[in-house]
Amino acid sequence: MVLTRGDDFPIHQTPEPVAYSGTDRNFYDRYFFNGYAPDGSGFFAAALGIYPHLDVIDAHFNVIRGGVQHCIHATRQLGMERMDLSVGPIRIEVVQPLEQLRIVVDDFEGISADITFSGRAFPIEEPRFTHRIGPRAFMDYTRMTQNGRYDGWIEVDGDRRDLDADTMGTRDRSWGVRPVGTRDLQPMPGHTLPGFFWQWTPINFPDGSLFFHVNNDEHGEAWNTRAAWAGEGAGPDEIHEGIGSMRTRLTPETRWPSDGTLSLAVRGAPEEVTFEPLGRFQMKGLGYTHPEWNHGLYHGGPKSVREDIDLDNLDPLQPENLHVQMPVKVTANDGKVGIGVFEQLIIGAFSPLGLREFLDGSA
């Protein structure tokens, strides 16, 4: 047994110390943040993941300037201490649980930041994500999501910029089981890897926050979806849930969304909103499907690197480039205008959009 700082808090879920998270080697615990100016510019994002059974922690910080996505990737051994939220130059501080968090990036190869997130309303809890391939749990996790405002600054190569007073964005916390670390090479007899379709659109309107997500199978049937509305300052009993339906188009020869229309049946929310992309963020900058910095990989000890991604010069159909977040202008049928992101990942065939092969692009 190993005692750590977490054991002095009443947060245990099993008879064991907090260092042990059940028995599934793919258990993880994760923070995610994104932010953007009112016109969608100055996009930044951060993430930190803990993998208790792999004894690894990793973190990433990204900012887009001049068409280049500047990234820091960092990793170290966890040492079974889950309460130390620092990796290389990146650390996260929980200032006030469920309300305010701080991201600090000490200067690393010209990139530094000090940013505070303040929630606009109580976080929403999304439906539990449970998905199996045959008898094996591919995903089984819970996530909470919260829109908010940011203040602080970001510096890249000597160019320090304060965040606009209207800088908004989204943060989430998820925990449970996802594929992490080195890929499991053991095949599932009789069960091929199915197609995977994911959309997530947290939106900031002047008077509140709109949330929608959907996981579909390769035929377009949803196995997890939710729409929700949280008015400014809403408490946990003032969040309204309902349903949504997205009509999406793809940019030719890619799997990236070109636009979309979301129809909603949610109390307090518009009946319909349309999305107009204002840019593109590659999720590999936060480790998602990154060939070297995927989540939970062990790099032999502490390691931090800088990576610069030229967004205009990459292959959109390379596997690590499929997963994107598009900052979007959002227009509601009642005339309200908001700003948010349209995240999408499509792997394998997806018949509603005419995708038939594992990595073919839109016609």
Side-chain angles (χ1 to χ4, degrees), residues 155-301:
E155 182 170 321
V156 179
D157 298 331
D159 181 7
R160 175 168 165 165
R161 302 181 189 178
D162 292 332
L163 299 183
D164 185 284
D166 294 323
T167 299
M168 292 191 180
T170 303
R171 70 105 175 186
D172 72 39
R173 281 276 293 112
S174 64
W175 58 93
V177 174
R178 282 181 181 174
V180 295
T182 303
R183 182 168 174 252
D184 186 353
L185 299 180
Q186 173 71 33
M188 288 297 299
H191 300 280
T192 59
L193 186 67
F196 185 81
F197 180 92
W198 165 249
Q199 289 178 332
W200 184 60
T201 60
I203 304 301
N204 282 286
F205 281 105
D207 58 343
S209 300
L210 174 63
F211 304 94
F212 170 76
H213 77 267
V214 63
N215 267 125
N216 288 331
D217 65 18
E218 60 267 38
H219 306 297
E221 295 296 324
W223 59 265
N224 191 301
T225 186
R226 168 77 64 75
W229 172 263
E232 186 72 24
D237 298 325
E238 300 171 303
I239 296 170
H240 306 298
E241 300 177 354
I243 57 174
S245 177
M246 178 79 79
R247 299 187 299 279
T248 310
R249 287 161 289 276
L250 302 179
T251 300
E253 300 180 0
T254 79
R255 292 186 170 213
W256 301 335
S258 62
D259 54 57
T261 302
L262 175 61
S263 299
L264 296 156
V266 184
R267 179 183 169 190
E271 292 182 354
E272 186 173 271
V273 297
T274 58
F275 300 92
E276 176 189 343
L278 301 172
R280 186 180 79 253
F281 174 79
Q282 297 295 147
M283 291 292 283
K284 70 178 180 181
L286 298 179
Y288 293 86
T289 68
H290 195 293
E292 181 180 0
W293 288 95
N294 205 348
H295 301 153
L297 294 178
Y298 182 55
H299 290 261

Side-chain angles (χ1 to χ4, degrees), residues 243-362:
I243 57 174
S245 177
M246 178 79 79
R247 299 187 299 279
T248 310
R249 287 161 289 276
L250 302 179
T251 300
E253 300 180 0
T254 79
R255 292 186 170 213
W256 301 335
S258 62
D259 54 57
T261 302
L262 175 61
S263 299
L264 296 156
V266 184
R267 179 183 169 190
E271 292 182 354
E272 186 173 271
V273 297
T274 58
F275 300 92
E276 176 189 343
L278 301 172
R280 186 180 79 253
F281 174 79
Q282 297 295 147
M283 291 292 283
K284 70 178 180 181
L286 298 179
Y288 293 86
T289 68
H290 195 293
E292 181 180 0
W293 288 95
N294 205 348
H295 301 153
L297 294 178
Y298 182 55
H299 290 261
K303 186 177 181 181
S304 299
V305 301
R306 173 173 170 171
E307 178 183 21
D308 295 317
I309 302 170
D310 183 348
L311 293 172
D312 291 332
N313 290 288
L314 50 76
D315 183 348
L317 294 178
Q318 284 294 310
E320 68 267 23
N321 295 328
L322 300 180
H323 195 178
V324 294
Q325 280 193 357
M326 319 289 281
V328 288
K329 176 183 177 181
V330 183
T331 304
N333 64 306
D334 60 6
K336 287 192 296 189
V337 176
I339 180 101
V341 297
F342 189 150
E343 179 178 331
Q344 184 165 285
L345 172 61
I346 311 174
I347 300 175
F350 188 67
S351 56
L353 291 176
L355 302 173
R356 296 178 175 80
E357 306 298 329
F358 189 70
L359 290 175
D360 58 332
S362 176

